[in-house]
Amino acid sequence: MTTPETDLYAPERETTEGTVYTVTGGDWDSIVDSEHDDRIVINMGPQHPSTHGVLRLVLELEGETVTQARSVIGYLHTGIEKNCEYRTWTQGVTFVTRADYLAPLFNEAAYVMGVEKLLGVEVPERAQVIRVMLMEINRIGSHLVCLATGGMELGALTGMTAGFREREEVLHLLEYLTGLRMNHAFFRPGGLAQDLPEDWREKIDEFIKIFHERLGDYDKLLTGQPIWKQRLEGVGYLPIDGCLALGATGPILRSAGLAWDQRVVEPYWGYETYDFEVPVETGADCYARYVVRVREIHESLKIIKQAADRLEPGPVMVEDRKIAWPAQLSIGSDGMGNTLEHVRKIMGQSMESLIHHFKLVTEGFQVPAGQVYSCVESPRGELGVHLVSDGGTRPVRVHMREPSFVNLQTMPAMSEGGMVADVIAAVASIDPVMGGVDR
Amino acid sequence: MTERTGPGGTAGTSKDDKGGAEPTGGEQSSAQRSGPDDEQHAANGGTAPEHGEGELAGLGDQAVEGGTRPAPAGRARRGMFGVRGSGDTSGFSGLRLPAHVPVPAERPFGGWYDDLVDDLVAALDERGTRGAIQQVTIDRGEITLYIAADEILDVCRAMRDDASLRFELCSAVSAVDYGVDVPQRMHVVYHLLSMTYRKRIRLEVALDWDGGETNPHLPSVVEVYPTADWHERETWDMFGIVFDGHPALTRILMPDDWDGHPQRKDYPLGGIPVEYKGAEIPPPDERRAYS
């Protein structure tokens, strides 16, 4: 045990700003009994169950009213953008997928869309439909975590257990379809890493059936519940002009009444051919954002069903042998490596194939010089990727316009002047994912 | 190929001997010929005004006087596979490719680009701003306007406020470092979105900075786009670009007392010792020997 004198972390001491207290529970008397004015500055996080990850909030309080709020980020900075500059364009997928870890497929989508734009290739129809289907499955999972953690932070623990139970279905399905629960690296420049397993349709149908049964529970559990509504209604208010000034997109912007959704306004990968609605609310508060997310889950289910219905057999990778890895279409029966036939062919018949395969994997393909900005509608808003190529096999610059990062700037506007407890509700409704904020 | 000493088998050796002096591709390689020219051009700071591209692009008063500056966007590359210092024996290491320079677009641009540029030029004239646009480039369906660094705030204000432009949302502000040996290596990039007209544009500012000790400067756009606050802090943190007029330009992702700006090209990927609770943790490659 460390005594206060030897505590390495935050010892009680006098500073130019006033006395610093360390309160760990059961020792509030040390503050209550001390001489001070009503103004207190508290550090909440970066390790706190209600801060949605390693987010640190600095709150200045007058009694229970927040007079100023600031967020401190960077605790999860991993240098993803810098790392991408040292890898091939294909390897970049495995880095960007780790940014917003609740919506990994969207990171991959925005990135590969940019690379494909630089290359000037169009991915096959089947790959586009599978991408759309997987992204919508992922969107459901991401929104469920938002509801679950948001519920937990506001004391609705059943919402947490229910949300994570359903998210587990999402992760099981994604694991079955792509091979990994998270950080899939399934979208590759030019298509997909591999095709779906043979019985994908049964799994999707089962998934849709489960969700039709269970989604009603959220309305029973939360939507109409008086305590839930009282905690959220009129809290974290941010009108439409505030959203635009601060750059907020996604559910925050749609909860304020603007139906701005990249899938509709700048459709990609055939989104214009799917029949779905963009849920919009006008409350501009935490409750409106909650309702938008629940309704988006229903819309995503509609898209998944339509995508499954229209999926035709075909290639999932571009024909261009200078981009597509030879391994794509001939994976061994264990799902790993290459089939025996492919190995026999490249080892026995075609030395050039072997060399080409080796060069393509180790050095990667060259991408024509230029720059592009590509963006998709992630569960949190506009996820953009700015890519710069100098014509080589590695990017000069990969910059991710992360909606979590931008949306988190709205926290002070939503929280200042309100109660401490409402800060928690506001942060939960922003739904920042620190992996995306810090990258 | 003149002194072939022996018959048959020794020809290969002879070729190898010549290889050092005369790179593969020789004089036929247009890429190689244009390489040095380009470097020469780059060394001049890229200021040589050859064509009146401003006239060509119909930018009127907004064109930078004395023609436009070609915006450098990449370094010259050597070798076919971009491999350096690895003892590449493929024989392609003599290939030299010039640096990529974005091509200035010519009138008519096509699509909505003409109207956009006309509207912007008119809006800037109205506001009394001159010489703001250095170059217009249209590539892969995206328009990029190269803006003079001092005018970026006025351009953003016109972009946001003019009724015919209405770029309400600033999607992102970031920077690109094109490499140590490139003149004007630091570019700041603004992605703007007009929700009214459903258009996206990119503003790019090439900063006059030679890589010296003093950091490059340009005006902050936070007073026009409040969302640029964190974007500019991140750009300062990662690239060391100072945004004059930013309300609180502090580090955002790296620790407050960090040395250096990690996204610069001369900053290494690893190998930085880290201080943690008073102890110094050596870089990963020096922590433990596995041999």
Side-chain angles (χ1 to χ4, degrees), chain A residues 293-333:
Chain A
R293 289 199 175 93
V294 172
R295 286 174 59 198
E296 280 187 14
I297 296 179
H298 288 274
E299 298 301 323
S300 290
L301 276 180
K302 276 161 67 176
I303 300 174
I304 294 168
K305 187 154 188 315
Q306 292 170 48
D309 286 342
R310 70 169 65 169
L311 199 53
E312 301 282 345
V316 294
M317 195 70 187
V318 288
E319 293 287 322
D320 190 349
R321 284 294 178 208
K322 291 287 180 193
I323 296 171
W325 286 11
Q328 302 294 342
L329 301 173
S330 56
I331 288 169
S333 57

CSV table of all heavy atoms in Angstrom, one decimal, chain A residues 293-333:
chain,number,residue,atom,x,y,z
A,293,ARG,N,-30.8,6.3,-33.3
A,293,ARG,CA,-30.0,5.1,-33.4
A,293,ARG,C,-30.9,3.8,-33.5
A,293,ARG,O,-30.6,2.9,-34.2
A,293,ARG,CB,-29.0,5.0,-32.3
A,293,ARG,CG,-27.9,6.1,-32.4
A,293,ARG,CD,-26.7,5.8,-31.5
A,293,ARG,NE,-25.7,6.8,-31.8
A,293,ARG,CZ,-25.5,7.9,-31.1
A,293,ARG,NH1,-26.3,8.1,-30.1
A,293,ARG,NH2,-24.5,8.7,-31.4
A,294,VAL,N,-31.9,3.8,-32.6
A,294,VAL,CA,-32.7,2.6,-32.6
A,294,VAL,C,-33.4,2.4,-34.0
A,294,VAL,O,-33.5,1.3,-34.5
A,294,VAL,CB,-33.8,2.7,-31.5
A,294,VAL,CG1,-34.8,1.5,-31.6
A,294,VAL,CG2,-33.1,2.6,-30.1
A,295,ARG,N,-33.9,3.6,-34.5
A,295,ARG,CA,-34.5,3.4,-35.8
A,295,ARG,C,-33.5,3.1,-36.9
A,295,ARG,O,-33.9,2.4,-37.9
A,295,ARG,CB,-35.2,4.8,-36.2
A,295,ARG,CG,-36.5,5.0,-35.3
A,295,ARG,CD,-37.1,6.3,-35.5
A,295,ARG,NE,-37.5,6.6,-36.9
A,295,ARG,CZ,-37.7,7.8,-37.4
A,295,ARG,NH1,-37.6,8.8,-36.7
A,295,ARG,NH2,-38.0,7.9,-38.7
A,296,GLU,N,-32.3,3.5,-36.8
A,296,GLU,CA,-31.3,3.1,-37.8
A,296,GLU,C,-31.0,1.6,-37.8
A,296,GLU,O,-30.7,1.1,-38.8
A,296,GLU,CB,-30.0,3.9,-37.6
A,296,GLU,CG,-30.1,5.3,-38.1
A,296,GLU,CD,-28.8,6.1,-38.1
A,296,GLU,OE1,-27.7,5.4,-37.9
A,296,GLU,OE2,-28.8,7.3,-38.2
A,297,ILE,N,-31.1,1.0,-36.6
A,297,ILE,CA,-30.9,-0.4,-36.6
A,297,ILE,C,-32.0,-1.1,-37.4
A,297,ILE,O,-31.7,-2.0,-38.2
A,297,ILE,CB,-31.0,-0.9,-35.1
A,297,ILE,CG1,-29.8,-0.3,-34.3
A,297,ILE,CG2,-31.0,-2.4,-35.1
A,297,ILE,CD1,-29.8,-0.7,-32.9
A,298,HIS,N,-33.2,-0.7,-37.3
A,298,HIS,CA,-34.3,-1.2,-38.1
A,298,HIS,C,-34.0,-1.0,-39.6
A,298,HIS,O,-34.2,-2.0,-40.4
A,298,HIS,CB,-35.7,-0.6,-37.8
A,298,HIS,CG,-36.2,-1.0,-36.4
A,298,HIS,ND1,-36.9,-2.2,-36.2
A,298,HIS,CD2,-36.0,-0.5,-35.2
A,298,HIS,CE1,-37.2,-2.3,-34.9
A,298,HIS,NE2,-36.7,-1.3,-34.3
A,299,GLU,N,-33.6,0.2,-40.0
A,299,GLU,CA,-33.3,0.4,-41.4
A,299,GLU,C,-32.2,-0.5,-41.9
A,299,GLU,O,-32.2,-0.9,-43.0
A,299,GLU,CB,-33.0,1.9,-41.6
A,299,GLU,CG,-34.1,2.9,-41.3
A,299,GLU,CD,-35.4,2.6,-42.0
A,299,GLU,OE1,-35.3,2.3,-43.2
A,299,GLU,OE2,-36.5,2.8,-41.5
A,300,SER,N,-31.1,-0.6,-41.0
A,300,SER,CA,-30.0,-1.5,-41.5
A,300,SER,C,-30.5,-2.9,-41.7
A,300,SER,O,-30.0,-3.6,-42.7
A,300,SER,CB,-28.9,-1.5,-40.4
A,300,SER,OG,-28.3,-0.2,-40.3
A,301,LEU,N,-31.4,-3.4,-40.9
A,301,LEU,CA,-31.9,-4.7,-41.1
A,301,LEU,C,-32.6,-4.8,-42.5
A,301,LEU,O,-32.4,-5.8,-43.2
A,301,LEU,CB,-32.9,-5.1,-40.1
A,301,LEU,CG,-32.4,-5.6,-38.7
A,301,LEU,CD1,-33.6,-5.9,-37.8
A,301,LEU,CD2,-31.6,-6.9,-38.9
A,302,LYS,N,-33.3,-3.8,-42.9
A,302,LYS,CA,-33.9,-3.8,-44.2
A,302,LYS,C,-32.9,-3.9,-45.3
A,302,LYS,O,-33.0,-4.6,-46.3
A,302,LYS,CB,-34.7,-2.5,-44.4
A,302,LYS,CG,-36.1,-2.6,-43.8
A,302,LYS,CD,-36.8,-1.2,-43.6
A,302,LYS,CE,-37.1,-0.4,-44.8
A,302,LYS,NZ,-37.8,0.8,-44.4
A,303,ILE,N,-31.8,-3.1,-45.1
A,303,ILE,CA,-30.7,-3.1,-46.2
A,303,ILE,C,-30.1,-4.5,-46.2
A,303,ILE,O,-29.8,-5.0,-47.3
A,303,ILE,CB,-29.7,-2.0,-45.9
A,303,ILE,CG1,-30.4,-0.7,-45.9
A,303,ILE,CG2,-28.6,-2.1,-46.9
A,303,ILE,CD1,-29.4,0.5,-45.5
A,304,ILE,N,-29.8,-5.1,-45.1
A,304,ILE,CA,-29.2,-6.4,-45.0
A,304,ILE,C,-30.0,-7.4,-45.8
A,304,ILE,O,-29.5,-8.2,-46.6
A,304,ILE,CB,-29.0,-6.9,-43.6
A,304,ILE,CG1,-28.0,-6.0,-42.9
A,304,ILE,CG2,-28.5,-8.3,-43.6
A,304,ILE,CD1,-27.9,-6.2,-41.4
A,305,LYS,N,-31.3,-7.4,-45.6
A,305,LYS,CA,-32.2,-8.3,-46.3
A,305,LYS,C,-32.2,-8.1,-47.8
A,305,LYS,O,-32.1,-9.1,-48.6
A,305,LYS,CB,-33.6,-8.2,-45.7
A,305,LYS,CG,-34.6,-9.2,-46.2
A,305,LYS,CD,-35.7,-9.4,-45.3
A,305,LYS,CE,-36.6,-10.6,-45.7
A,305,LYS,NZ,-36.9,-10.6,-47.1
A,306,GLN,N,-32.3,-6.9,-48.2
A,306,GLN,CA,-32.2,-6.6,-49.6
A,306,GLN,C,-30.9,-7.0,-50.3
A,306,GLN,O,-30.9,-7.6,-51.4
A,306,GLN,CB,-32.4,-5.1,-49.9
A,306,GLN,CG,-33.8,-4.6,-49.5
A,306,GLN,CD,-33.9,-3.1,-49.6
A,306,GLN,OE1,-33.4,-2.5,-50.6
A,306,GLN,NE2,-34.4,-2.5,-48.6
A,307,ALA,N,-29.8,-6.8,-49.5
A,307,ALA,CA,-28.5,-7.1,-50.1
A,307,ALA,C,-28.4,-8.6,-50.2
A,307,ALA,O,-27.9,-9.1,-51.2
A,307,ALA,CB,-27.4,-6.6,-49.2
A,308,ALA,N,-28.9,-9.4,-49.2
A,308,ALA,CA,-28.8,-10.8,-49.3
A,308,ALA,C,-29.7,-11.3,-50.5
A,308,ALA,O,-29.3,-12.3,-51.1
A,308,ALA,CB,-29.3,-11.4,-48.0
A,309,ASP,N,-30.8,-10.7,-50.7
A,309,ASP,CA,-31.6,-11.2,-51.8
A,309,ASP,C,-31.0,-11.0,-53.2
A,309,ASP,O,-31.3,-11.7,-54.1
A,309,ASP,CB,-33.0,-10.4,-51.8
A,309,ASP,CG,-33.9,-10.9,-50.6
A,309,ASP,OD1,-33.6,-12.0,-50.1
A,309,ASP,OD2,-34.8,-10.2,-50.2
A,310,ARG,N,-30.2,-9.9,-53.3
A,310,ARG,CA,-29.7,-9.6,-54.7
A,310,ARG,C,-28.3,-10.1,-54.9
A,310,ARG,O,-27.7,-9.8,-55.9
A,310,ARG,CB,-29.8,-8.1,-54.9
A,310,ARG,CG,-28.8,-7.3,-54.1
A,310,ARG,CD,-28.7,-5.9,-54.5
A,310,ARG,NE,-29.9,-5.2,-54.3
A,310,ARG,CZ,-30.0,-3.8,-54.5
A,310,ARG,NH1,-28.9,-3.2,-54.8
A,310,ARG,NH2,-31.1,-3.2,-54.2
A,311,LEU,N,-27.8,-10.9,-53.9
A,311,LEU,CA,-26.4,-11.3,-54.1
A,311,LEU,C,-26.3,-12.4,-55.1
A,311,LEU,O,-26.9,-13.5,-55.0
A,311,LEU,CB,-25.9,-11.8,-52.7
A,311,LEU,CG,-24.4,-11.9,-52.6
A,311,LEU,CD1,-23.7,-10.6,-52.9
A,311,LEU,CD2,-24.0,-12.3,-51.1
A,312,GLU,N,-25.6,-12.2,-56.2
A,312,GLU,CA,-25.4,-13.1,-57.3
A,312,GLU,C,-24.0,-13.7,-57.2
A,312,GLU,O,-23.1,-13.0,-56.8
A,312,GLU,CB,-25.6,-12.4,-58.7
A,312,GLU,CG,-26.9,-11.8,-58.9
A,312,GLU,CD,-28.0,-12.8,-59.3
A,312,GLU,OE1,-27.6,-13.9,-59.6
A,312,GLU,OE2,-29.2,-12.4,-59.2
A,313,PRO,N,-23.8,-14.9,-57.7
A,313,PRO,CA,-22.5,-15.5,-57.7
A,313,PRO,C,-21.6,-14.7,-58.7
A,313,PRO,O,-22.1,-14.1,-59.6
A,313,PRO,CB,-22.7,-16.9,-58.3
A,313,PRO,CG,-24.1,-17.2,-58.1
A,313,PRO,CD,-24.8,-15.9,-58.1
A,314,GLY,N,-20.3,-14.6,-58.4
A,314,GLY,CA,-19.4,-13.9,-59.2
A,314,GLY,C,-18.1,-13.6,-58.5
A,314,GLY,O,-17.9,-14.1,-57.4
A,315,PRO,N,-17.2,-13.0,-59.2
A,315,PRO,CA,-15.9,-12.7,-58.5
A,315,PRO,C,-16.1,-11.7,-57.4
A,315,PRO,O,-17.0,-10.8,-57.5
A,315,PRO,CB,-15.0,-12.2,-59.6
A,315,PRO,CG,-16.0,-11.6,-60.6
A,315,PRO,CD,-17.2,-12.4,-60.5
A,316,VAL,N,-15.2,-11.7,-56.4
A,316,VAL,CA,-15.2,-10.7,-55.4
A,316,VAL,C,-13.9,-9.9,-55.4
A,316,VAL,O,-13.7,-9.1,-54.5
A,316,VAL,CB,-15.3,-11.3,-54.0
A,316,VAL,CG1,-16.7,-12.0,-53.8
A,316,VAL,CG2,-14.2,-12.3,-53.7
A,317,MET,N,-13.2,-10.0,-56.5
A,317,MET,CA,-11.9,-9.2,-56.6
A,317,MET,C,-11.8,-8.8,-58.1
A,317,MET,O,-12.3,-9.5,-59.0
A,317,MET,CB,-10.8,-10.1,-56.2
A,317,MET,CG,-9.5,-9.4,-55.9
A,317,MET,SD,-9.6,-8.4,-54.4
A,317,MET,CE,-8.1,-7.5,-54.5
A,318,VAL,N,-11.2,-7.7,-58.3
A,318,VAL,CA,-11.0,-7.2,-59.7
A,318,VAL,C,-10.1,-8.2,-60.4
A,318,VAL,O,-9.4,-9.0,-59.9
A,318,VAL,CB,-10.3,-5.8,-59.7
A,318,VAL,CG1,-11.2,-4.7,-59.2
A,318,VAL,CG2,-9.0,-5.8,-58.9
A,319,GLU,N,-10.3,-8.2,-61.8
A,319,GLU,CA,-9.6,-9.1,-62.6
A,319,GLU,C,-8.1,-8.8,-62.7
A,319,GLU,O,-7.3,-9.7,-62.9
A,319,GLU,CB,-10.2,-9.0,-64.1
A,319,GLU,CG,-11.6,-9.5,-64.2
A,319,GLU,CD,-11.7,-11.0,-64.1
A,319,GLU,OE1,-10.8,-11.7,-64.6
A,319,GLU,OE2,-12.6,-11.5,-63.4
A,320,ASP,N,-7.8,-7.5,-62.5
A,320,ASP,CA,-6.4,-7.1,-62.8
A,320,ASP,C,-5.4,-7.8,-61.9
A,320,ASP,O,-5.4,-7.7,-60.7
A,320,ASP,CB,-6.3,-5.6,-62.5
A,320,ASP,CG,-5.0,-5.0,-62.9
A,320,ASP,OD1,-4.1,-5.7,-63.2
A,320,ASP,OD2,-4.9,-3.7,-62.9
A,321,ARG,N,-4.6,-8.6,-62.5
A,321,ARG,CA,-3.6,-9.4,-61.8
A,321,ARG,C,-2.5,-8.6,-61.2
A,321,ARG,O,-1.7,-9.2,-60.4
A,321,ARG,CB,-3.0,-10.5,-62.8
A,321,ARG,CG,-4.0,-11.6,-63.1
A,321,ARG,CD,-4.1,-12.4,-61.8
A,321,ARG,NE,-5.1,-13.4,-61.9
A,321,ARG,CZ,-5.8,-13.9,-60.8
A,321,ARG,NH1,-5.6,-13.3,-59.7
A,321,ARG,NH2,-6.6,-14.9,-61.0
A,322,LYS,N,-2.4,-7.4,-61.6
A,322,LYS,CA,-1.4,-6.5,-61.0
A,322,LYS,C,-1.9,-6.0,-59.6
A,322,LYS,O,-1.1,-5.4,-58.9
A,322,LYS,CB,-1.1,-5.3,-61.9
A,322,LYS,CG,-0.4,-5.7,-63.1
A,322,LYS,CD,1.1,-6.0,-62.8
A,322,LYS,CE,1.8,-6.4,-64.1
A,322,LYS,NZ,3.1,-7.1,-63.8
A,323,ILE,N,-3.1,-6.2,-59.3
A,323,ILE,CA,-3.7,-5.7,-58.0
A,323,ILE,C,-4.1,-6.9,-57.2
A,323,ILE,O,-3.8,-6.9,-56.0
A,323,ILE,CB,-4.9,-4.8,-58.3
A,323,ILE,CG1,-4.4,-3.5,-59.0
A,323,ILE,CG2,-5.5,-4.4,-57.0
A,323,ILE,CD1,-5.4,-2.6,-59.5
A,324,ALA,N,-4.9,-7.8,-57.8
A,324,ALA,CA,-5.4,-8.9,-57.0
A,324,ALA,C,-4.4,-9.9,-56.7
A,324,ALA,O,-3.6,-10.3,-57.5
A,324,ALA,CB,-6.5,-9.6,-57.8
A,325,TRP,N,-4.4,-10.4,-55.4
A,325,TRP,CA,-3.4,-11.4,-55.0
A,325,TRP,C,-3.9,-12.7,-55.6
A,325,TRP,O,-5.0,-13.1,-55.7
A,325,TRP,CB,-3.4,-11.6,-53.5
A,325,TRP,CG,-2.7,-10.5,-52.8
A,325,TRP,CD1,-2.3,-9.3,-53.4
A,325,TRP,CD2,-2.3,-10.4,-51.5
A,325,TRP,NE1,-1.6,-8.5,-52.5
A,325,TRP,CE2,-1.6,-9.2,-51.3
A,325,TRP,CE3,-2.4,-11.3,-50.4
A,325,TRP,CZ2,-1.1,-8.8,-50.0
A,325,TRP,CZ3,-1.9,-10.9,-49.2
A,325,TRP,CH2,-1.3,-9.7,-49.0
A,326,PRO,N,-2.9,-13.5,-56.1
A,326,PRO,CA,-3.3,-14.8,-56.7
A,326,PRO,C,-3.9,-15.7,-55.7
A,326,PRO,O,-4.7,-16.6,-56.1
A,326,PRO,CB,-1.9,-15.4,-57.2
A,326,PRO,CG,-0.9,-14.3,-57.1
A,326,PRO,CD,-1.5,-13.3,-56.1
A,327,ALA,N,-3.7,-15.5,-54.5
A,327,ALA,CA,-4.3,-16.4,-53.5
A,327,ALA,C,-5.8,-16.3,-53.3
A,327,ALA,O,-6.5,-17.1,-52.8
A,327,ALA,CB,-3.7,-16.1,-52.1
A,328,GLN,N,-6.4,-15.2,-53.9
A,328,GLN,CA,-7.7,-14.9,-53.6
A,328,GLN,C,-8.7,-16.0,-53.8
A,328,GLN,O,-9.5,-16.4,-53.0
A,328,GLN,CB,-8.2,-13.7,-54.5
A,328,GLN,CG,-7.4,-12.5,-54.4
A,328,GLN,CD,-7.6,-11.8,-53.0
A,328,GLN,OE1,-8.5,-12.2,-52.3
A,328,GLN,NE2,-6.7,-11.0,-52.6
A,329,LEU,N,-8.6,-16.6,-55.0
A,329,LEU,CA,-9.6,-17.6,-55.4
A,329,LEU,C,-9.3,-19.0,-55.1
A,329,LEU,O,-10.0,-19.9,-55.6
A,329,LEU,CB,-9.9,-17.4,-56.9
A,329,LEU,CG,-10.4,-15.9,-57.3
A,329,LEU,CD1,-10.5,-15.8,-58.8
A,329,LEU,CD2,-11.7,-15.6,-56.6
A,330,SER,N,-8.2,-19.3,-54.5
A,330,SER,CA,-7.9,-20.7,-54.3
A,330,SER,C,-7.3,-20.9,-52.9
A,330,SER,O,-6.2,-21.2,-52.7
A,330,SER,CB,-6.8,-21.1,-55.3
A,330,SER,OG,-5.7,-20.3,-55.3
A,331,ILE,N,-8.1,-20.7,-51.9
A,331,ILE,CA,-7.7,-20.9,-50.5
A,331,ILE,C,-7.9,-22.3,-50.2
A,331,ILE,O,-8.8,-23.0,-50.6
A,331,ILE,CB,-8.5,-19.9,-49.6
A,331,ILE,CG1,-8.0,-18.5,-49.8
A,331,ILE,CG2,-8.3,-20.3,-48.2
A,331,ILE,CD1,-8.9,-17.5,-49.2
A,332,GLY,N,-6.9,-22.9,-49.4
A,332,GLY,CA,-6.9,-24.3,-49.0
A,332,GLY,C,-8.2,-24.7,-48.2
A,332,GLY,O,-8.9,-23.8,-47.8
A,333,SER,N,-8.4,-26.0,-48.1
A,333,SER,CA,-9.6,-26.5,-47.5
A,333,SER,C,-9.6,-26.0,-46.0
A,333,SER,O,-10.7,-26.0,-45.4
A,333,SER,CB,-9.7,-28.0,-47.6
A,333,SER,OG,-8.5,-28.5,-47.0
